[in-house]
Amino acid sequence: MERKSNRRAKESEENHSSSEGSEQDRDYKTSLITLNVGGYLYITQKQTLTKYPDSFLEGVINGKIMCPFDADGHFFIDRDGLLFRHVLNFLRNGELLLPEGFRENQLLAHEADFFQLKVLSDAVKSRWEKEQLASRETTFLEITDSHDRSQGLRIFCNAPEFIAKIKSRIVLVSKSRLDGFPEEFSVSSNIIQFKYFIKSENGTRLVLKEDNTFVCTLETLKFEAIMMALKCGFRLLTSLDCSKGSIVHSDALHFIK
């Protein structure tokens, strides 16, 4: 009798455990929501979408806002499906994290307003304002001879990434061409300083073109800077010293977009 009682108790316990497991599986499945946003499917948890009370998504999930369904029974929201990735990441992380070079601030701000996420909208607008302010600030790069600072070039531009591009190109090529002579030049945040400025002797030549065939003097360096700027969509605003009669003979170049 005692063995039968123990067996029944064990079976009852297993059935109860199985029942609890099934209920947990059902609860987990019902907590997953699939959204069709502009033709893009996103699967996330109910608690993520309802994180901000009175938002559009919270209203849809909790039945406060009527939302159509697609052919597969998923909520359909007629918005930008690609940009919704950033909206969903904001709900998951609680902060605005965008990829480097993101340029669709205005569109994302509109999406944030539609989804009634004021925190996200404020974050996007703040980021946008900072980028606009930074774009108006002029960044410069100075390339000089450590023995004669009058021999050199200053490049001004309102786009820090362009200055960084020219700088990295010059540094990269300088290292490859001056290999074994690290003392020939030094680099700081805004200055590349050559021990003896770009000369025509072997070992101190600077190559800028991508095919590594262009020997660069001070004048050709200026010309290359102009060509790189025009290729990137900048225009030469002014040459700060054209007294020598030619842009490539001037002491500074100023680009703007």
Side-chain angles (χ1 to χ4, degrees), residues 129-171:
E129 289 171 359
K130 287 179 181 178
E131 283 186 353
Q132 288 181 321
L133 182 62
S135 69
R136 291 192 290 268
E137 296 177 351
T138 300
T139 306
F140 76 92
L141 174 65
E142 184 175 343
I143 305 165
T144 65
D145 185 322
S146 60
H147 294 274
D148 185 1
R149 294 196 65 176
S150 66
Q151 294 296 310
L153 170 67
R154 269 194 162 207
I155 302 172
F156 297 86
C157 188
N158 66 334
E161 65 271 14
F162 174 67
I163 292 294
K165 183 176 181 179
I166 290 183
K167 176 182 173 182
S168 63
R169 179 69 179 149
I170 293 173
V171 170

Side-chain angles (χ1 to χ4, degrees), residues 83-107:
L83 280 179
F84 186 73
R85 163 198 172 195
H86 306 301
V87 176
L88 188 56
N89 279 336
F90 175 79
L91 294 175
R92 289 166 173 161
N93 301 314
E95 60 179 320
L96 180 62
L97 300 172
L98 295 173
E100 185 178 350
F102 183 81
R103 290 290 180 269
E104 297 183 301
N105 293 300
Q106 189 172 5
L107 288 174

